[in-house]
Amino acid sequence: MLIFPIKGFNEFINIDNIGKCFILMINLVIRVEYNFGGSNNIMKTAKEVLDFIKKEEIKVIDFRFMDFPGLWQHFSIPARELDEDMFKAGVGFDGSSIRGWQAINESDMLVVPEPETSFVDPFFQHKTLVIICNIADPLTGKDYTKDPRNIAKKAEKYLIGTGIGDTSYFGPEAEFFIFDDVRFDQNEHEGYYFLDSVEGRWNTGRDEKPNLGYKPRYKEGYFPVPPTDSQQDIRSEMMLTLEDLGIAIEAQHHEVATGGQGEIDMRFSTLVDMADKVLKYKYVVKNVAKKYGKSVTFMPKPLYNDNGTGMHTHCSIWKDGKNVFAGDKYAGLSQEALWAIGGVLKHAPALLAFTNPTTNSYKRLVPGFEAPVNLAYSSRNRSASVRIPMYSQSEKAKRFELRCPDPSCNPYLAFSALLMAAIDGIQNKIDPGEPLDKDIYDLPPEELAKVPTTPGSLRDSLMALEKDHEFLLKGDVFTEDVIETWIEYKMDNEVKELDLRPHPWEFALYYDI
């Protein structure tokens, strides 16, 4: 069951030919209203923002920015405090309290609001205008090198400088779980987690007074209609709330796993804008779920022995309004697109340090599930880590899909690193080899041994990044201090901390030895 809001329909989706032209005509008409109507108009100047605040009687201004690992941060001021100067001079805050950023002796930082990112928050009691901000150094006034959004802006600028293209498009498909109860703890003498969902297959025998029995089977949650899919209304509210914020949605549906896995697909957009939208997406999905008394997680592998949560990411490069990736080579791709895939496959072990940046990410990247671990490319084949979708043969639709990423990533860093790997592939004409148009999981052992695989842990990915990051430094997009800080932070705060803690399964394996 795919739900297509008319506003979000695009040619990437394969629908029946019946009525296609009619829907396209409606889409063209409605998109005019979609872009310029409603209470969340795109504002391009500080004056437009201030006029909007006055007109809409906004009470609170909420400044938002991304910390280094990948969580949205915010603080608020009364609306009367905002003036045009703040859009240039910025607003001060303590950068030493943000993970991975400044030391205590150099803590002062600035948030610089960007007018075009403004939107009215759909959840706060008092009417609040959210403005996404860049981060700047108060002494030099320059953009902060560790600001993820600044890195993404530099990646877009670098692409233009190469002459390869002037625009990069990204289309992430972020999945999530909706749970009814979440408990976890870890201390010196105990460690556990407990998850529950009214949809969980494990609850078929629970006394629910009454238990109606409609629980998606393990790995069979893809597309059953209600009552088995019990979360249609919740996902629809998430979808429509996102649309109200100006984010075009293409589809929403239940995903493969039991226990409330879902997906809402956003229409593709440019790198920085898409990363902004991923943050809005996660914010809306979590808060709508909370409204229903439920909890959403984008953790890659919360459930054992069922599908994990991915973020398959579509990518293409355009120049002068034409798709650089469209051509007459394999699967309708250009030579540049194949080289781009070659760059992504070559740098994948290092790339995954940003696209799959948690220890939990590598519990999803295992054979036998939808997440591919073999570094190969193919048309249609979903067991390849790089797939060329074949829904449409239109030149505009040609792109590749990297299937490894998951939504625990910082989207500014993940999309930037993916673009830099693709650019490096084009610049160095990296051959991706022959496509693998077979089910990789059914290959004989001697043939499978020739196919390279993704790293088996976050530690391995970080070590690969340490050895292979020159492609990220081009154009000063990523800087050495960003790479060093990322590796150090992840190793010290995540990899090593997990290493220190006993795992419950270790007791099952070893307690009686």
Side-chain angles (χ1 to χ4, degrees), residues 300 352-353 356-362 406 408-409 457-458 490 494:
L352 263 64
N356 302 74
T358 67
T359 58
N360 186 253
S361 298
Y362 298 85
D406 66 60
S408 69
C409 71
S457 68
L458 179 58
K490 287 288 176 178
E494 299 179 29

Side-chain angles (χ1 to χ4, degrees), residues 18 37 52 58 108 130 191 238 506 508:
I18 299 175
F52 181 84
I58 301 294
D108 289 349
V130 175
M238 294 169 177
E506 290 179 310

Side-chain angles (χ1 to χ4, degrees), residues 366-378:
V366 294
F369 294 85
E370 282 201 3
V373 297
N374 298 287
L375 297 174
Y377 75 100
S378 175

Side-chain angles (χ1 to χ4, degrees), residues 320-372:
D320 298 328
K322 295 184 178 180
N323 189 354
V324 175
F325 282 3
D328 58 0
K329 304 294 184 181
Y330 175 78
L333 295 179
S334 66
Q335 182 62 65
E336 287 81 2
L338 292 174
W339 287 332
I341 291 171
V344 170
L345 293 176
K346 175 185 176 181
H347 297 297
L351 183 60
L352 263 64
F354 291 109
T355 62
N356 302 74
T358 67
T359 58
N360 186 253
S361 298
Y362 298 85
K363 291 178 170 61
R364 167 181 167 263
L365 292 176
V366 294
F369 294 85
E370 282 201 3

